[in-house]
Amino acid sequence: MKNIVVLVSGGGTNLQALIDAEKRGEIRNGKITCVISSKDSAYAIERAALAGIPSVVIPRAAFPDNRSYSQEILRELQKQKADLIVLAGFMIILDECVTRAYPYQIINVHPALIPSFCGEGFYGLRVHEKALEYGVKVSGATIHFVNEKADAGAIIMQGTVAVENDDTPQTLQRRIMENVEWKLLPRAVSLFCEGRISVRDGKAYVDL
Ligand code: GAR
């Protein structure tokens, strides 16, 4: 059974999708053992408590720089004996001291079709604002491994939705969450725990 540690910063709807999937028995060979939040006000912490999952708050604001913050995150991940780390709406780009310690063991959900609308500065609603500004007709979400470059690790899965003429960043975000993020993230996590994701030449393949 793999220990899954989920990192959050906000509302935690992706965390909820993982909790619900685990309750339905859809996370095979994995268990969410801890939630780490970068903000003490994150509603995701409530969701963890309601599900009986221990949580730890490591506030970004308490550290002078990203490196020292990431070192503290690394210490906690090691203490938790994490086998898989899931960034579920975690809004901080971790230093390579974390990504190097867990190669192909950190999974992120990004709310756009990488390589579009991604990288530094593209997070949360801002991603959807940029997609609408550009005028794309299709958007979606990407589940990918995390490496030392922002949103540049091997892609595991992607899913799409149509962009409607009257979309706002909020309506587009909601459609992508409901139709892609909340479905694909638990699926990718289960596949990882079952050992069904392999990496060859820097690309990820799902063994179906
Ligand atoms: C989600 O849409 C997630 O894809 C995005 O933030 C939202 C968090 O929602 N993540 C990023 O932008 C990371 N670059 P949630 O807290 O309700 O899961």
Side-chain angles (χ1 to χ4, degrees):
M1 191 62 104
K2 299 220 185 287
N3 290 341
I4 305 167
V5 176
V6 184
L7 273 59
V8 297
S9 299
T13 63
N14 278 290
L15 168 66
Q16 192 66 54
L18 289 168
I19 291 169
D20 294 345
E22 187 182 319
K23 276 199 193 125
R24 291 193 302 266
E26 289 172 12
I27 308 286
R28 284 173 288 273
N29 199 38
K31 184 178 162 53
I32 306 168
T33 48
C34 179
V35 169
I36 300 176
S37 175
S38 63
K39 280 195 188 152
D40 57 8
S41 58
Y43 184 66
I45 299 168
E46 296 282 318
R47 296 182 189 273
L50 287 169
I53 302 167
S55 61
V56 180
V57 180
I58 306 181
R60 174 62 183 89
F63 293 81
D65 50 36
N66 190 34
R67 175 115 189 139
S68 57
Y69 181 72
S70 298
Q71 280 165 344
E72 186 57 29
I73 293 277
L74 178 59
R75 261 191 291 278
E76 189 60 39
L77 292 171
Q78 286 167 341
K79 186 173 146 198
Q80 297 294 337
K81 299 189 173 12
D83 297 306
L84 169 64
I85 298 142
V86 181
L87 309 187
F90 187 66
M91 297 307 181
I92 293 158
I93 297 169
L94 289 166
D95 180 88
E96 60 188 30
C97 69
V98 179
T99 51
R100 289 224 174 117
Y102 293 98
Y104 297 108
Q105 283 173 275
I106 310 176
I107 289 178
N108 181 46
V109 53
H110 182 75
L113 296 170
I114 291 174
S116 292
F117 309 111
C118 63
E120 264 181 69
F122 285 88
Y123 57 86
L125 268 182
R126 214 177 277 198
V127 176
H128 307 295
E129 276 163 20
K130 291 287 176 197
L132 291 177
E133 218 173 275
Y134 199 96
V136 293
K137 303 304 174 213
V138 171
S139 192
T142 303
I143 314 296
H144 66 95
F145 282 118
V146 175
N147 64 11
E148 60 286 350
K149 287 201 201 119
D151 298 327
I155 292 172
I156 301 167
M157 287 177 174
Q158 291 183 301
T160 61
V161 304
V163 177
E164 309 290 347
N165 287 343
D166 58 355
D167 261 332
T168 62
Q170 287 79 3
T171 59
L172 181 57
Q173 178 184 54
R174 181 78 194 180
R175 190 174 312 115
I176 291 173
M177 282 177 153
E178 276 179 2
N179 293 284
V180 188
E181 297 185 37
W182 300 342
K183 290 180 181 163
L184 293 195
L185 184 62
R187 208 177 295 161
V189 165
S190 185
L191 287 164
F192 177 94
C193 293
E194 292 175 90
R196 288 171 58 194
I197 303 177
S198 48
V199 179
R200 291 191 297 279
D201 298 330
K203 292 197 192 84
Y205 297 90
V206 173
D207 306 321
L208 294 169

